[in-house]
Amino acid sequence: MASLAPPDSVRFSIMKDRIVVVGEAPAAWIDRARVASQQLAADGLSLEISELRELTPPELTHLREAIQAVDIFFDSGKAVPGPEQLPVLDKLANQLKELAKDARKAGVTAQFMLTGHSDTTGRETAKLSISAARAETVRALLKKRGVDPELLLVRGAGTFEPAETENSQTGSSANRRVSVTVNFH
């Protein structure tokens, strides 16, 4: 415990043959605990950290939720959003910059995962490829709007994380998108 220097919001208990950690902690501390868990496992000890939750500074929660509610939509087969998405990108860029600044003030770093998605039209390899291209395009457009590219991570999910089931035109168009996930470190 001394080497981990846990925050007050974290409790340790011993259950049978393992140490269980519960509570909330900043992501950076959880990362340190994860490394310690792996090191202890090599020595035959078990440090259970699955009950830990990431502590989000309260002043960042509202903006984080607003950002994660935004999706950038695309036309079928396109990796560049249509002109109707530009105001959405402008607003998103401003929110990302504001959250990055507020996070620094709170002593954490905000990182933004841009996940590209596709509908079920076409071959699986093409769907993964276009979903990644959509995420890269949004990254470039946000960078152009002043968002620090170091804070923007990208990944393509293809059809594996649909917003809606695809038994309608609405389902298909809802799945052609880039979503944003906010993490604090």
Side-chain angles (χ1 to χ4, degrees), residues 2-164:
S3 66
L4 279 173
D8 294 337
S9 56
V10 169
R11 292 182 318 285
F12 287 75
S13 60
I14 297 175
M15 296 180 134
K16 294 188 181 172
D17 58 346
R18 61 189 211 279
I19 303 165
V20 179
V21 187
V22 296
E24 292 184 324
W29 191 87
I30 293 173
D31 289 343
R32 285 203 321 268
R34 193 170 287 117
V35 169
S37 171
Q38 291 166 348
Q39 291 169 339
L40 289 170
D43 293 335
L45 298 169
S46 175
L47 180 65
E48 176 64 47
I49 60 171
S50 65
E51 297 296 315
L52 273 177
R53 288 183 315 284
E54 185 181 327
L55 179 66
T56 304
E59 65 274 19
L60 305 179
T61 304
H62 179 69
L63 195 50
R64 175 193 215 178
E65 289 170 0
I67 289 168
Q68 291 185 156
V70 173
D71 284 320
I72 307 297
F73 294 101
F74 295 78
D75 289 330
S76 185
K78 302 284 188 222
V80 177
E84 74 285 353
Q85 294 296 305
L86 297 180
V88 179
L89 280 161
D90 292 340
K91 182 178 180 184
L92 179 60
N94 289 333
Q95 290 174 320
L96 295 178
K97 290 185 288 191
E98 182 181 342
L99 186 58
K101 186 179 66 160
D102 292 350
R104 276 193 303 277
K105 285 184 197 165
V108 294
T109 302
Q111 214 167 34
F112 311 106
M113 175 63 73
L114 306 173
T115 303
H117 304 271
S118 68
D119 60 23
T120 57
T121 309
R123 293 187 332 275
E124 202 56 52
T125 52
K127 291 180 276 195
L128 270 173
S129 175
I130 198 164
S131 68
R134 287 173 175 158
E136 283 293 348
T137 298
V138 170
R139 181 179 194 264
L141 292 168
L142 291 170
K143 179 182 172 189
K144 210 154 84 172
R145 287 165 171 76
V147 178
D148 181 352
E150 296 290 314
L151 303 179
L152 300 171
L153 305 172
V154 295
R155 67 185 264 273
T159 59
F160 297 110
E161 298 168 20
E164 293 186 25

